[in-house]
Amino acid sequence: MGLYRKKITTPCGLLTLLCDGRALVAIRFGREADGEATTGTMQACPGAETRKKEIPAQEVQTAQEVLAQAAREIGEYFEGERRVFTVPTAAAGTPFQQAVWNALKKIPYGETRSYGEIARQIGHPRASRAVGQANNRNPLPIVVPCHRVIGASGALTGYAGGLDIKVRLLELERHTPRRHSCSAPENASNR
């Protein structure tokens, strides 16, 4: 299976979306070390499964669809129109990391939780430091909203894209108007 990428420009800078041919596996901030790609293009990552003579057409098509969906949903998020992501994801991690990342997905849009609250939620009340480490290793920032986790005192702590981006994401969510009850139900559009 190949690894595919798509670079998109957002209000928080350049993001690189990575897909394994089935699901979104990573989102990276800024420029990758292997050079720039034209924004909005899909490329197979250099060295990714290049030993295979032929990549199945279905894999390429699925990767294009997943990357397009991820780009669209992230764009909608930054426009204040999306609160829940539905793009298929497959983040590699330990069972503990997976538990933390699943808990992050349950933090409501516009709200925050502390590392200790997440530790208690996943049944490891003394593991707030380990929760912080798992949060730091989240390969899918924004889609798996690790920016919504703060220190117990309410202080903002580290973020892969930098604290300035964490602040911008939290501000975006705090200032996005709530939808009126006359609008379509969230479940209908997943937005």
Side-chain angles (χ1 to χ4, degrees):
M1 198 168 287
L3 190 61
Y4 305 89
R5 72 176 175 211
K6 180 179 182 102
K7 294 190 180 228
I8 61 172
T9 302
T10 72
C12 288
L14 186 68
L15 294 180
T16 301
L17 312 177
L18 298 169
C19 176
D20 66 1
R22 295 173 293 144
L24 188 66
V25 296
I27 298 172
R28 296 187 184 147
F29 289 97
R31 306 203 183 290
E32 289 184 316
D34 64 352
E36 282 186 48
T38 305
T39 301
T41 63
M42 186 190 85
Q43 300 178 341
C45 290
E49 298 293 329
T50 55
R51 286 171 265 173
K52 287 185 178 179
K53 293 188 180 199
E54 189 174 313
I55 297 173
Q58 182 59 44
E59 178 181 313
V60 173
Q61 180 179 348
T62 300
Q64 289 173 334
E65 291 168 0
V66 168
L67 291 170
Q69 179 181 354
R72 184 182 70 251
E73 289 185 9
I74 289 169
E76 292 167 352
Y77 168 81
F78 279 110
E79 291 170 6
E81 296 175 358
R82 178 166 293 275
R83 295 168 187 260
V84 177
F85 290 91
T86 61
V87 63
T89 61
T94 67
F96 182 83
Q97 290 170 333
Q98 295 289 339
V100 170
W101 300 335
N102 285 331
L104 299 179
K105 291 178 189 176
K106 295 176 184 171
I107 302 172
Y109 181 94
E111 296 184 20
T112 58
R113 298 290 183 270
S114 71
Y115 296 100
E117 288 173 307
I118 298 297
R120 287 188 293 280
Q121 181 180 339
I122 64 169
H124 296 276
R126 295 183 182 185
S128 58
R129 219 170 245 187
V131 166
Q133 291 171 346
N135 205 48
N136 184 48
R137 289 185 175 92
N138 171 21
L140 294 165
I142 300 172
V143 172
V144 177
C146 54
H147 62 277
R148 296 179 188 155
V149 183
I150 59 174
S153 67
L156 297 183
T157 55
Y159 188 66
L163 281 180
D164 58 324
I165 291 178
K166 184 172 187 164
V167 168
R168 290 180 74 181
L169 296 174
L170 291 172
E171 287 297 312
L172 168 75
E173 293 183 12
R174 285 188 188 122
H175 293 104
T176 300
R178 301 279 181 202
R179 294 227 161 101
H180 299 292
S181 59
C182 61
S183 63
E186 272 194 37
N187 292 355
S189 67
N190 286 321
R191 290 185 181 178

